[in-house]
Amino acid sequence: MAANSRFAVAVHALALIAWHEDARHSSREIAGSVATNPVVIRRLLAQLAKAGIVESAHGAKGGFRLARPARDIRLHDVYAAVEEGGFFALPEKGNDRCPVACRMKEILNGVFRRVESKVLPELKRTTLADVVGRLPRSS
Amino acid sequence: MAANSRFAVAVHALALIAWHEDARHSSREIAGSVATNPVVIRRLLAQLAKAGIVESAHGAKGGFRLARPARDIRLHDVYAAVEEGGFFALPEKGNDRCPVACRMKEILNGVFRRVESKVLPELKRTTLADVVGRLPRSS
DNA sequence: CCATATGTAACCATTATAGTTATATTTATG
DNA sequence: CATAAATATAACTATAATGGTTACATATGG
């Protein structure tokens, strides 16, 4: 699969779980929809569980379900849970003896902060319920 | 260096060029400031040249300079020139026989489009001149 | 002619991610 | 209690993107 589809896969998995909010869903079932391996799903959902977005249960009839209503799960929560850094990479080295390089890190940080300040509200405004609302009825 | 610092390095290189807008700048000089290899700079600036942002000259006294004033180079132009895709990865496969998977691509596309519609104006508003304006005077 | 550039191909190293296999553990149920 | 079904997780491989390096063809000013 393409690199860095973690956020997309996480939303897909959560949408599938929320689609039948009552039942538990196994990693095998979710992997079947996403077309990947169950371990990949478990790894991803482990991060979402750590963030309090889903709950898991061992054993027969186990699986995953939402830890709270879909209406209360913002895409921003999901993004923060599965993607480490921001939208841009900063980690420039730079030559400390160059007056331009010395300031670039700070300048770029400012640019990136301003961009993210536009992105985050949009991801906070959209919830998992909004996503599920665009799916066909679940039966 | 960190993965995907292309945009940051491109802005750094352009700022250095714009700092002394009159002279040409060699990939060796720019690489010295960014702390990387000249070939990496030439590869990146080749993309910016293709986008009409810089011009290059072969031979002695050759090197790079801006193709137009820094005021007219928007960070969005730079981003578009050096970063292929958008901010998120989409390319999910998905099981075609799952009604959720079938809709996810379209739904995620909508989410991503809305997020980008917030980001792009910010990157269009900021120019290379704004970046250079935060550097110390060039002599 | 020669020093100094870019343009680019070719290759290696590194890193991140996905995919896979295997195993320990947990749990519902007959 | 035995069994089937599930998560948790470690360990490994595969793949892809990126950066770094070397090498060489080409162009140009002096």
Side-chain angles (χ1 to χ4, degrees), chain B residues 104-117:
Chain B
M104 282 311 300
K105 189 174 175 180
E106 185 185 338
I107 293 172
L108 288 170
N109 242 327
V111 171
F112 295 168
R113 263 203 312 272
R114 252 179 303 139
V115 169
E116 294 206 349
S117 74

Side-chain angles (χ1 to χ4, degrees), chain B residues 2 5 14 20 30 35 39 42 47-48 54 60 65 71 82 85 88 90 100 102 105 110 120-121 123 132-133:
Chain B
S5 54
L14 288 170
H20 275 135
I30 299 167
V39 176
R42 290 204 292 271
Q47 295 187 267
L48 296 179
V54 298
R65 70 178 169 198
R71 173 100 278 154
V82 303
F88 300 96
L90 186 60
V100 174
C102 283
K105 189 174 175 180
L120 301 187
L123 286 178
V132 175

Side-chain angles (χ1 to χ4, degrees), chain B residues 40-62:
Chain B
V40 173
I41 298 298
R42 290 204 292 271
R43 277 200 292 235
L44 199 60
L45 293 193
Q47 295 187 267
L48 296 179
K50 208 172 296 177
I53 295 171
V54 298
E55 290 170 348
S56 64
H58 281 67
K61 297 284 163 66

